Amino acid sequence: AQSVTQLGSHVSVSEGALVLLRCNYSSSVPPYLFWYVQYPNQGLQLLLKYTTGATLVKGINGFEAEFKKSETSFHLTKPSAHMSDAAEYFCAVTPMNTGFQKLVFGTGTRLLVSP
Amino acid sequence: NAGVTQTPKFQVLKTGQSMTLQCAQDMNHEYMSWYRQDPGMGLRLIHYSVGAGITDQGEVPNGYNVSRSTTEDFPLRLLSAAPSQTSVYFCASSYVTGDTEAFFGQGTRLTVV
């Protein structure tokens, strides 16, 4: 079975500051890992994903995440926050061996960006 | 290219009523799924389908029914609405591989009174 833990339901940063959103996962088989972003009253949009290969993955809007197997983590970072980054972010996992996506989501982290 | 289209966007139901949430995609994706989103609980999988005629239960299937008669459509039926089914419902579609991007609809906000 898979599960995802996102530490912090809300994270507040100032514009220009580093963004760090934490995600830890549990999976009995090698996982695929994803970060999705949700803007108000919208569906979810893929930010980035880890499948195989390079453990540091880059996504849209300057975000990146690093897969650390030893720490079972997939934290999301951005060097400099922008006001437009304010949204809710979801980490998700799916097992590598099912052949399709049964995404298990974390509870989400709302990013607040102040001027 | 419309992507994933959900209708209606908003709905209010009385307890015991039934209704169908519609989901259609135009990307020829084999895999479709329904999630519900509740505050502090993230998104939870209700039902999913890997192709026409094939459906299976997710994490929270009770009170919901699905069918998949075509590749494009994947309706979600509430058989007898309960206040606990008040939620935002999202439909998603993707290719049948684990490492692909899932495309989400805009959601249906359902209130059961």
Side-chain angles (χ1 to χ4, degrees):
Chain A
Q2 288 72 41
S3 66
V4 174
T5 301
Q6 291 185 241
L7 292 175
S9 59
H10 292 79
V11 169
S12 295
V13 300
S14 299
E15 193 172 21
L18 171 71
V19 175
L20 171 61
L21 304 183
R22 298 180 187 275
C23 172
N24 288 88
Y25 70 91
S26 172
S27 180
S28 53
V29 298
Y32 292 135
L33 294 158
F34 305 83
W35 275 99
Y36 281 85
V37 61
Q38 184 181 33
Y39 298 102
N41 301 314
Q42 299 285 318
L44 278 69
Q45 178 184 2
L46 181 68
L47 267 181
L48 50 78
K49 62 180 180 179
Y50 168 77
T51 54
T52 57
T55 56
L56 181 63
V57 293
K58 296 184 185 300
I60 61 172
N61 302 337
F63 284 93
E64 62 182 37
E66 186 170 11
F67 169 60
K68 292 187 176 181
K69 183 178 177 181
S70 61
E71 299 177 8
T72 61
S73 69
F74 191 56
H75 302 329
L76 182 70
T77 61
K78 182 174 180 178
S80 176
H82 193 273
M83 296 294 289
S84 61
D85 294 327
E88 189 153 24
Y89 293 80
F90 292 94
C91 183
V93 63
T94 191
M96 204 178 280
N97 62 354
T98 62
F100 57 90
Q101 285 195 346
K102 283 183 70 175
L103 290 169
V104 174
F105 286 89
T107 53
T109 298
R110 186 169 298 277
L111 178 65
L112 308 169
V113 183
S114 56
Chain B
N1 192 343
V4 179
T5 302
Q6 290 184 236
T7 55
K9 288 186 170 48
F10 301 93
Q11 183 70 48
V12 179
L13 285 180
K14 294 182 179 178
T15 298
Q17 286 184 317
S18 63
M19 80 159 294
T20 300
L21 280 62
Q22 301 292 344
C23 175
Q25 53 92 9
D26 61 359
M27 296 172 281
N28 204 30
H29 287 159
E30 306 95 339
Y31 183 75
M32 296 185 74
S33 53
W34 277 101
Y35 292 86
R36 60 177 289 172
Q37 183 180 22
D38 302 292
M41 302 189 74
L43 283 81
R44 292 179 292 168
L45 182 63
I46 305 172
H47 284 286
Y48 64 95
S49 169
V50 298
I54 306 169
T55 64
D56 207 346
Q57 297 181 352
E59 179 186 355
V60 289
N62 292 340
Y64 307 95
N65 213 347
V66 292
S67 60
R68 183 95 178 270
S69 56
T70 68
T71 299
E72 294 78 20
D73 300 298
F74 190 45
L76 178 72
R77 298 181 186 82
L78 279 70
L79 308 172
S80 177
S84 60
Q85 294 178 303
T86 293
S87 187
V88 181
Y89 292 85
F90 288 98
C91 179
S93 75
S94 66
Y95 293 111
V96 181
T97 61
D99 60 349
T100 188
E101 175 179 359
F103 291 84
F104 285 80
Q106 298 283 295
T108 295
R109 186 174 295 273
L110 176 68
T111 302
V112 183
V113 298

